Amino acid sequence: MSDVRMFVLGALLRGPMHGHQIRRQAQLDRTELWTDIKVGSLYGALHRLVAEGAIEVVRTERAAGPARTVYTLTAAGREEFIALRDRMLREVRLRPDPVDLALHYADDLAEDDLRALIGDRRDALIARLTAWRHQREQADPYLRGLEPMTFDHTTARLRAEIAWHESLLEQLPKLLAANDRDPSPTAEGRQE
């Protein structure tokens, strides 16, 4: 939730906006690619932030389409934004990848099957890196300040993941052979 809060509060730092403008900003920034923010969660966050006093309703506008509620940041919301931003700049967050748990229980897979699954993951990461580089090229003329570094961060993480998958594929025969020779009670139970 703090990612969504940070985005909404940060968007409103620029001035009053209605929910559709904030949602559109998230779509234009492609936040779902580089954050845990789902665009559909923004309206719920707006309502929670109003209830908590971090933002307030300024007015309701009605143009040709539906009525739109315009929100602005409160003093408490500005303080929360600063606290969230500072915490996020200090916090290191590397979420566990489910592949690690799955590998823990992959002893029953044949090497060829496991190699194919890991190869598919690697290929998906390579495709994601290719798409990310294309998006970077498209966005390059519009990036300003520190924004290029957010692209570079994702690029570096994707490259690291691809390298790890390549290493796993390269070492797979040796790792599986060592597992077959493992005399630990866990390994003996698996061999029965």
Side-chain angles (χ1 to χ4, degrees):
M1 174 59 185
S2 61
D3 288 3
V4 174
R5 293 177 79 86
M6 174 78 173
F7 183 82
V8 170
L9 295 172
L12 290 173
L13 274 176
R14 298 175 181 150
M17 300 172 86
H18 55 71
H20 182 71
Q21 288 171 306
I22 295 170
R23 184 171 191 259
R24 183 75 179 128
Q25 186 63 50
Q27 290 171 323
L28 291 172
D29 287 349
R30 298 182 189 269
T31 57
E32 72 280 355
L33 297 175
W34 49 274
T35 69
D36 287 334
I37 296 171
K38 303 295 181 236
V39 174
S41 67
L42 293 172
Y43 288 107
L46 285 168
H47 295 283
R48 283 188 295 278
L49 288 165
V50 167
E52 295 168 9
I55 63 174
E56 62 188 6
V57 174
V58 177
R59 66 185 172 276
T60 300
E61 296 176 346
R62 184 166 199 96
R68 302 201 188 271
T69 304
V70 178
Y71 303 91
T72 192
L73 203 55
T74 64
R78 187 175 303 278
E79 287 177 23
E80 181 178 351
F81 169 80
I82 291 168
L84 276 171
R85 182 201 57 208
D86 293 352
R87 189 185 84 218
M88 287 181 173
L89 285 170
R90 286 189 299 272
E91 182 181 311
V92 175
R93 207 186 321 173
L94 291 174
R95 292 210 163 83
D97 188 326
V99 73
D100 297 325
L101 181 58
L103 285 172
H104 185 73
Y105 294 105
D107 297 351
D108 63 325
L109 289 174
E111 180 181 340
D112 289 344
D113 294 338
L114 185 54
R115 180 173 295 285
L117 290 167
I118 298 302
D120 288 348
R121 281 181 55 92
R122 180 213 45 218
D123 294 346
L125 287 163
I126 290 170
R128 188 176 289 179
L129 178 59
T130 301
W132 188 251
R133 285 178 174 155
H134 177 70
Q135 286 179 348
R136 166 67 191 260
E137 290 171 12
Q138 298 292 317
D140 231 12
Y142 309 102
L143 298 178
R144 51 189 201 285
L146 297 170
E147 290 174 341
M149 291 307 294
T150 62
F151 273 93
D152 293 349
H153 189 208
T154 299
T155 299
R157 293 177 84 172
L158 286 167
R159 284 182 183 155
E161 280 293 320
I162 292 166
W164 179 84
H165 281 74
E166 291 288 348
S167 177
L168 175 58
L169 288 168
E170 181 181 310
Q171 297 178 52
L172 198 55
K174 179 176 70 172
L175 294 169
L176 291 174
N179 192 45
D180 289 341
R181 292 190 305 269
D182 185 359
S184 70
T186 306
E188 288 174 13
R190 289 181 190 149
Q191 291 175 355
E192 291 177 359

